[in-house]
Amino acid sequence: MTDSASAARVLARTEGALGRVTLNRPEAINALDIDMIRRLTEVFESWRHDSDVQIVLIDGAGDRGMCAGGDVRALHAQIVAGRADETAEFFRAEYALNAVISEYPKPVVAVADGITMGGGIGLAGHAAIRVVTERSKLAMPETRIGFTPDVGGTWLLGRAPGRLGEYFGLTGGTMDGADAVLLGFADHFVPSDRLEALREALAYRADPTGPAEIVLLFDETPEPSTLPASREWIDDAFSADTVAEIVSRLRAAEVSDAVATADLLESLAPTALAVTLDAVREARAMPDLRAALEGEYRRVMWFVTQHPDLVEGIRAQLVDKDRNPKWEPASIADLAPDAGEPARSYVPEQPLF
């Protein structure tokens, strides 16, 4: 891709005191490719010491969502062609950007309006001020393609209340705006019809009020999340030591939603479930985001170089679209006692940082 084409997919401009960066690939719900990630990194670095930029806002073009994630089809093509070095380059650049956003010296406001999943969580979830709307749909759906949450998703999931992190990590379920605030994936709920006024206030409000206080002027209380009503069976089941025991507890709960969750888990890649359970729990004990990203990088590159389920999951869901993946192993009952260990201990050829 030419520099101008990658720049067109990432629009960067200043509006008053605001540096606004917009993902501009609406036909793909702003899915990220390596050139977009590099361009985003360049923009953040260019504004780091720019005294005219006091706040940075990141959002997405179009009305479908901020960012649907990474370009999974391109990932599949790279792995099948044996270009794991390119895949490693993509993840290293993406995770470095996630860390930049988390550690940025100026307030970063992320607007996760509409679909914000996978790589989109990596951009929005680590900002200083995270805004959702009534249209927000947030998820880490990686287990549905035989993969595991990354981009710092395990760091966020590991800090969710109770065992909601394990629940959303394993099921790949979707959060609405209220759920996202409850889980710690977002800070504020702003109705979508007020976003333009919010941007205007962040750019041009002249008094010394900080960006968090400005966002509060537009914040509204959403309809309550329905998750607390399910916490009893979620916390009981997803505190189990293994995926098999989680499924057993779900079936014993005698709650229709719990049984449906057991059915869902049994349709997903057993190895991805085991690796994800291990990853969320490891990240819960991590000291910071960078450490969690390193744990994710080990697991991601293990799937890329050592295990067939990621390629098979993408094939079944997005390439051939037969929705009939052949997982290895095929069932949760066939998992090894510590099925997450090989991915946990894998050492990639290139270090992350």
Side-chain angles (χ1 to χ4, degrees), residues 154-162 165 182-184 280 283-288 292:
T154 61
W155 172 255
L156 297 170
L157 291 166
R159 278 148 188 77
L182 175 67
L183 262 78
V280 171
R284 182 174 284 134
M286 290 289 193
D288 53 35

Side-chain angles (χ1 to χ4, degrees), residues 154-155 157-166 238 277-287 292:
T154 61
W155 172 255
L157 291 166
R159 278 148 188 77
R163 299 293 176 167
L164 290 173
E166 282 95 333
F238 284 87
L277 182 64
D278 187 60
V280 171
R281 291 181 175 171
E282 183 183 74
R284 182 174 284 134
M286 290 289 193

Side-chain angles (χ1 to χ4, degrees), residues 264-280:
L264 171 62
L265 293 180
E266 289 185 334
S267 74
L268 300 176
T271 299
L273 296 175
V275 170
T276 298
L277 182 64
D278 187 60
V280 171

Side-chain angles (χ1 to χ4, degrees), residues 132-136 176-182 186-191 218-226:
V132 288
T133 75
E134 79 285 354
R135 303 188 298 199
S136 294
D176 64 19
D179 297 336
V181 173
L182 175 67
D187 306 299
H188 301 282
F189 182 95
V190 176
F218 299 88
D219 186 299
E220 293 190 4
T221 302
E223 290 295 315
S225 168
T226 60

Side-chain angles (χ1 to χ4, degrees), residues 15-349:
E15 301 170 355
L18 186 69
R20 183 178 174 190
V21 56
T22 300
L23 306 178
N24 188 38
R25 195 185 179 191
E27 70 280 3
I29 319 181
N30 303 311
L32 297 168
D33 59 29
I34 185 68
D35 294 295
M36 293 170 70
I37 289 167
R38 288 170 175 156
R39 176 61 181 151
L40 284 164
T41 303
E42 289 173 0
V43 170
F44 273 91
E45 291 306 323
S46 71
W47 286 339
R48 183 182 291 272
H49 302 294
D50 187 337
S51 59
D52 291 335
V53 175
Q54 297 173 23
I55 305 166
V56 176
L57 182 141
I58 183 166
D59 58 10
D63 57 9
R64 297 169 68 196
M66 175 188 173
C67 176
D71 190 333
V72 179
R73 287 174 177 272
L75 173 62
H76 179 272
Q78 286 175 355
I79 300 171
V80 170
R83 304 199 307 271
D85 56 331
E86 293 180 25
T87 305
E89 183 181 4
F90 174 88
F91 286 120
R92 291 172 71 233
E94 185 177 29
Y95 298 0
L97 175 60
N98 301 152
V100 164
I101 291 171
S102 172
E103 300 163 358
Y104 206 62
K106 300 176 182 182
V108 178
V109 181
V111 179
D113 184 29
I115 293 171
T116 306
M117 299 183 180
I121 297 290
L123 300 179
H126 308 304
I129 302 167
R130 303 163 301 174
V131 175
V132 288
T133 75
E134 79 285 354
R135 303 188 298 199
S136 294
K137 295 179 180 179
L138 278 65
M140 297 299 302
E142 287 78 8
T143 57
R144 302 192 178 204
I145 56 168
F147 202 31
T148 186
D150 65 333
V151 297
T154 61
W155 172 255
L156 297 170
L157 291 166
R159 278 148 188 77
R163 299 293 176 167
L164 290 173
E166 282 95 333
Y167 170 76
F168 277 95
L170 269 66
T171 63
T174 301
M175 311 168 209
D176 64 19
D179 297 336
V181 173
L182 175 67
L183 262 78
F185 277 66
D187 306 299
H188 301 282
F189 182 95
V190 176
S192 58
D193 62 5
R194 305 192 75 188
L195 291 178
E196 195 56 47
L198 170 61
R199 285 189 284 262
E200 186 85 3
L202 289 169
Y204 297 109
R205 195 174 176 93
D207 63 39
T209 303
E213 289 75 19
I214 292 173
V215 175
L216 274 174
L217 298 175
F218 299 88
D219 186 299
E220 293 190 4
T221 302
E223 290 295 315
S225 168
T226 60
L227 289 172
S230 301
R231 277 286 301 277
E232 184 175 355
W233 64 262
I234 289 175
D235 287 355
D236 175 67
F238 284 87
S239 63
D241 290 338
T242 66
V243 177
E245 179 61 21
I246 288 173
V247 172
S248 176
R249 290 188 188 185
L250 288 169
R251 296 211 178 279
E254 298 183 351
V255 177
S256 60
D257 285 349
V259 174
T261 300
D263 292 341
L264 171 62
L265 293 180
E266 289 185 334
S267 74
L268 300 176
T271 299
L273 296 175
V275 170
T276 298
L277 182 64
D278 187 60
V280 171
R281 291 181 175 171
E282 183 183 74
R284 182 174 284 134
M286 290 289 193
D288 53 35
L289 173 64
R290 281 183 179 262
L293 287 166
E294 288 190 293
E296 293 172 350
Y297 180 63
R298 291 196 303 274
R299 292 172 171 90
V300 163
M301 291 311 298
W302 180 77
F303 273 111
V304 168
T305 63
Q306 307 294 315
H307 199 277
D309 276 3
L310 171 58
V311 166
E312 174 64 5
I314 299 173
R315 180 205 65 77
Q317 293 293 334
L318 298 171
V319 181
D320 297 338
K321 299 183 180 179
D322 59 22
R323 306 293 193 270
N324 187 32
K326 301 293 189 289
W327 303 125
E328 186 179 307
S331 74
I332 291 169
D334 294 329
L335 285 169
D338 186 4
E341 190 279 330
R344 179 174 68 245
S345 61
Y346 182 70
V347 180
E349 285 188 12

